[in-house]
Amino acid sequence: MRIINKRIKNENYVEISSTDFNSENDTLKAYQKYIPMKDKDIKIQETLYFSRFLYAENFIPIEDTDIGKANIRLVNKIGTDFSEKIVRELLQEINAINDSEILPQLMANINRINFRWIYFQYSTNTFITDNQWKYFEEVYPEYFEFVISFIEKAAFIKSESAKKTLFYDYLFAIITIVPISYLSRSINICIDFSRGKTYTDYISNNILQFQSMDINISTKPDDKTDLYISDYNSEFVSCNQIIWKEPPTNKDWKNFGNTLVFIRREKQREKAK
């Protein structure tokens, strides 16, 4: 609001393509009192701009703006392309296509992201290092590859920094709305230490800190076990094994994380066959 007021004070007004101002929209009328302008036309323009900004930043729902059919065609076009790709390549693959809540929620978020991108373009200087990029590629490979493939083909994005900004917006929207359990890629870990239940529980609690990898823990191995963790090697399991004779160090936990990434990739390859 301070920025808007300063801009108005310097007579730098916005000019936007808008639908007719809906005087019956109580929210829009409420915004007007924050716009210190006597000129009715300019006041309306500034009010509409303010409401669009609030919607773009997810402070208000789309119903509380002037955004109508004339102004959201491009947003919907991009959203439709994205939704078709979601249904065809992602939700269908994870058996979530029949979920009546997921797609509408996801598309509402995608449309808002697209709207913000089209009308309030900017890129950020956060999440720009390779470390963050690698983390999401390893932990959410299905989501990562899906969003990357869409971004690369999106003609409305030009610069690399812009692509990265939009990539994270899309990725966070999907991660937040589509439950990770829908991916059907849980890693089943059996923890079996001779030290006893208390020590096993200690290890289990630490492993659950990696819950973003969708981990299931058991104390008895079976045919579904992906990783066996113990203080002794077992000839009765055919899966990956990690042997910790002593309480795990930072290096041990790092190797454990790398093992989870390896198992995840193997599961993904098997699913793709």
Side-chain angles (χ1 to χ4, degrees), residues 214-240:
D214 195 13
I215 293 172
N216 292 325
I217 291 178
S218 66
T219 55
K220 292 183 179 180
D222 56 31
D223 293 339
K224 295 181 179 179
T225 301
D226 299 303
L227 177 62
Y228 180 78
I229 302 178
S230 180
D231 46 356
Y232 289 97
N233 184 64
S234 175
E235 60 183 19
F236 300 106
V237 297
S238 57
C239 62
N240 296 279

Side-chain angles (χ1 to χ4, degrees), residues 128-143:
I128 59 176
T129 67
D130 292 337
N131 289 337
Q132 286 97 354
W133 193 263
K134 185 176 177 61
Y135 168 80
F136 288 105
E137 184 179 12
E138 291 178 344
V139 177
Y140 302 99
E142 297 89 345
Y143 294 164

Side-chain angles (χ1 to χ4, degrees), residues 15-240:
E15 292 183 10
I16 60 175
S17 174
S18 66
T19 55
D20 293 332
F21 181 76
N22 185 357
S23 60
E24 296 180 359
N25 188 319
D26 291 335
T27 305
L28 287 178
K29 287 193 294 185
Y31 295 154
Q32 283 190 298
K33 67 181 181 180
Y34 297 106
I35 309 298
M37 280 296 304
K38 293 182 179 180
D39 187 295
K40 183 179 178 181
D41 292 336
I42 296 178
K43 191 178 185 72
I44 288 176
Q45 286 278 297
E46 292 289 347
T47 300
L48 297 181
Y49 176 85
F50 181 45
S51 71
R52 291 182 184 189
F53 174 78
L54 293 178
Y55 163 65
E57 293 299 324
N58 204 24
F59 288 112
I60 63 173
I62 194 170
E63 292 79 13
D64 288 342
T65 72
D66 74 306
I67 304 168
K69 295 179 181 178
N71 291 323
I72 206 167
R73 287 175 185 169
L74 180 57
V75 174
N76 282 337
K77 174 62 170 65
I78 299 171
T80 299
D81 291 344
F82 198 90
S83 65
E84 289 177 352
K85 190 174 179 67
I86 286 173
V87 170
R88 186 172 63 252
E89 298 182 18
L90 184 63
L91 297 187
Q92 190 172 26
E93 179 182 345
I94 63 178
N95 300 318
I97 192 171
N98 294 321
D99 194 306
S100 60
E101 296 182 0
I102 283 183
L103 193 55
Q105 288 181 28
L106 188 56
M107 289 319 304
N109 270 272
I110 295 303
N111 279 339
R112 182 184 56 77
I113 291 169
N114 292 337
F115 179 86
R116 183 179 67 185
W117 182 255
I118 292 169
Y119 291 100
F120 302 95
Q121 285 194 26
Y122 69 92
S123 56
T124 67
N125 59 357
T126 57
F127 300 110
I128 59 176
T129 67
D130 292 337
N131 289 337
Q132 286 97 354
W133 193 263
K134 185 176 177 61
Y135 168 80
F136 288 105
E137 184 179 12
E138 291 178 344
V139 177
Y140 302 99
E142 297 89 345
Y143 294 164
F144 182 92
E145 292 176 6
F146 171 79
V147 175
I148 281 289
S149 65
F150 180 82
I151 293 288
E152 290 301 323
K153 298 175 183 177
F156 68 98
I157 313 170
K158 305 301 180 183
S159 71
E160 288 302 314
S161 61
K163 286 183 178 181
K164 220 159 204 180
T165 297
L166 197 56
F167 164 81
Y168 281 115
D169 285 343
Y170 283 156
L171 186 68
F172 293 145
I174 293 177
I175 291 173
T176 302
I177 297 171
V178 182
I180 193 171
S181 58
Y182 278 17
L183 293 174
S184 300
R185 55 171 175 72
S186 299
I187 297 177
N188 300 305
I189 300 177
C190 175
I191 304 174
D192 183 20
F193 283 89
S194 60
R195 186 70 171 75
K197 184 178 184 302
T198 301
Y199 184 70
T200 297
D201 289 345
Y202 161 74
I203 296 295
S204 298
N205 289 336
N206 279 277
I207 285 177
L208 288 176
Q209 301 302 313
F210 294 79
Q211 196 53 46
S212 60
M213 299 292 280
D214 195 13
I215 293 172
N216 292 325
I217 291 178
S218 66
T219 55
K220 292 183 179 180
D222 56 31
D223 293 339
K224 295 181 179 179
T225 301
D226 299 303
L227 177 62
Y228 180 78
I229 302 178
S230 180
D231 46 356
Y232 289 97
N233 184 64
S234 175
E235 60 183 19
F236 300 106
V237 297
S238 57
C239 62
N240 296 279

